[in-house]
Amino acid sequence: MFKKVLIANRSEVALRIIRACQQLQIKTVAVYAQVEAQAPFVQAADEAICIGPDTASSTYLKREAILMAAIITGADAIHPGYGFLAEDALFAEMCAECQLTLIGPSPAMIRLMADKAAAKAYVQQKGVAVIPGAANVTPAQLPAVAAAIGFPLMLKASLGGGGKGMRLIQSAAELQQDYHLIREEARQAFLSDAVYLEKYLPHARHIEVQILVDHAGHIQIFGDRECSLQVNHQKIIEESPASCLTDVARQQLYQATERVLQGLAYCGVGTLEFLYAQGQFYFLEMNTRLQVEHGVTELTTGKDLVVQQIAVAAGATIPTRQLAFQGHAIEVRLNANGAGDLQQFQLPTTVRIETGYQAGMAVLPYYDALLAKLLVWQPTREAAITKLQQALQQVTVRGVQTNLKLLQQLLADPRYQANQVDIHFLKDFHRPD
Ligand code: ADP
């Protein structure tokens, strides 16, 4: 087992990883932005090193500074969490060059899956359905290829992620007008102007499968999740299991997952994301890291995914199997709408909470909007919704605008309660003031 793990991340996920390390009796090193010197994750780690002033690019994205911190403190592994460098193949290569274990798959696997167009091509060739579309289209071919796919369609940056780098295109004229603009945006945001076209699915659910694979290629399936409720393509409510699935559909989903993973030299946790429409699963992308919503899977399987992720990275083997899951878990993401000072920040004590914040702290403009995750588990989905509604009543945030009201309205909505939602549900949803 590792002796010391450096956490190349911040806030709630850094605390989550520290907790797993403590359970495994591994020492931890936090790296932090100067403006976050007092943050709980910095205090909770055994050691902490400041790596820069404030913005993401001057801190948690600085590969060399993070590696230096790992070397100076004698860490033997790095946990990247999610976001920042978690799916950065170059960082993975640099870790290997420094004889540091990156807790994640190999650079080659990260590179394959980070390019969503390449990942789709790979998966399709394995006989798994992908959303119809086209990559590597020249500007001259564009009108004919787009017409063949049909409008509306999605134009996506191959290296996009986090809900960014995708655009709904309604017509040939709009495509003509926006194509070069979107490529330029992609080049600036993701350092590559590669884009691909994809058929727009008007009624689909976002279903995903959590997996863990060890060095020997043993695959464990940790059940499924549904994450259809999204704002600007970013998830705000996640559930485990995906209760719209019949047993037959679930087995098809797991078979597709196994087909993708067979023969792939993958090791670590990962998530295969699918859109599910008219009884068919279409592979969307694979995330080669721990996900924000891993906690709902932990609640239904009773397993600690972060502990297992670290153990597998250290060489542990796991049995090949599908894990049984029980009951129903729901997570909501309490997000800040903008920066500010948390004058008051009260969260319930009756449910699982993952947060990097406390009253008195500033929500800074440099990082993501996640303030806290609230997670519940109950024997049924109905009971889980009720418990979460009660928990949200105990949330008080002052000094920063949040999405609390939206979450409350969503949970109270009869269509949500009847599980009649899809990925576009929130677009027409009545927004609170
Ligand atoms: P990211 O990597 O940024 O998370 P994804 O490709 O995983 O982007 O898509 C995120 C979300 O965007 C999906 O869950 C879905 O709601 C929406 N989306 C993506 N592709 C399509 C599509 N072809 N049709 C309709 N919605 C889509």
Side-chain angles (χ1 to χ4, degrees), residues 20-35:
C21 287
Q22 284 169 346
Q23 204 172 318
L24 292 164
Q25 294 176 327
I26 300 170
K27 294 273 181 231
T28 54
V29 182
V31 289
Y32 64 94
Q34 200 172 8
V35 285

Side-chain angles (χ1 to χ4, degrees), residues 1-7 17 20-29 46 74-80 99-104 215 267 306-316:
M1 186 43 76
F2 306 119
K3 290 194 172 59
K4 199 187 267 190
V5 168
L6 178 138
I7 298 144
I17 297 162
C21 287
Q22 284 169 346
Q23 204 172 318
L24 292 164
Q25 294 176 327
I26 300 170
K27 294 273 181 231
T28 54
V29 182
D46 295 305
D76 40 17
I78 297 185
H79 197 307
Q99 266 93 54
L100 289 160
T101 302
L102 182 72
I103 299 175
H215 284 98
C267 181
V306 188
V307 163
Q308 297 220 12
Q309 177 190 27
I310 296 170
V312 159

Side-chain angles (χ1 to χ4, degrees), residues 116 131-132 153-154 156 160-166 196 198-202 204 206 227-228 230 233-235 273-275 284-285 287 289 423-424 427:
K116 295 199 283 186
I131 304 168
L153 55 75
M154 298 286 270
K156 294 188 178 180
K164 305 210 171 64
M166 70 178 92
Y196 62 104
E198 206 169 76
K199 191 171 177 56
Y200 177 79
L201 301 185
H206 176 115
C227 318
S228 294
Q230 306 172 354
H233 308 301
Q234 284 169 342
K235 302 159 185 170
E273 297 191 337
F274 296 83
L275 290 188
L284 186 61
E285 65 163 341
N287 291 320
R289 53 165 165 86
I423 50 175
H424 307 298
K427 284 181 198 151

Side-chain angles (χ1 to χ4, degrees), residues 4 11 16 44 51 66 95 130 180 194 196 203 211 218 229 243 245 252 256 266-267 298 304 342 367 389 399 419 428:
K4 199 187 267 190
S11 203
R16 173 73 191 87
I51 50 167
I66 293 165
C95 287
V130 300
H180 292 288
Y196 62 104
H203 301 288
I211 56 111
H218 301 135
L229 294 178
S243 46
L245 298 181
Q252 282 168 1
Y266 193 86
C267 181
E298 295 183 321
D304 187 316
L342 285 171
Y367 317 117
Q389 285 179 303
N419 203 9
D428 313 316

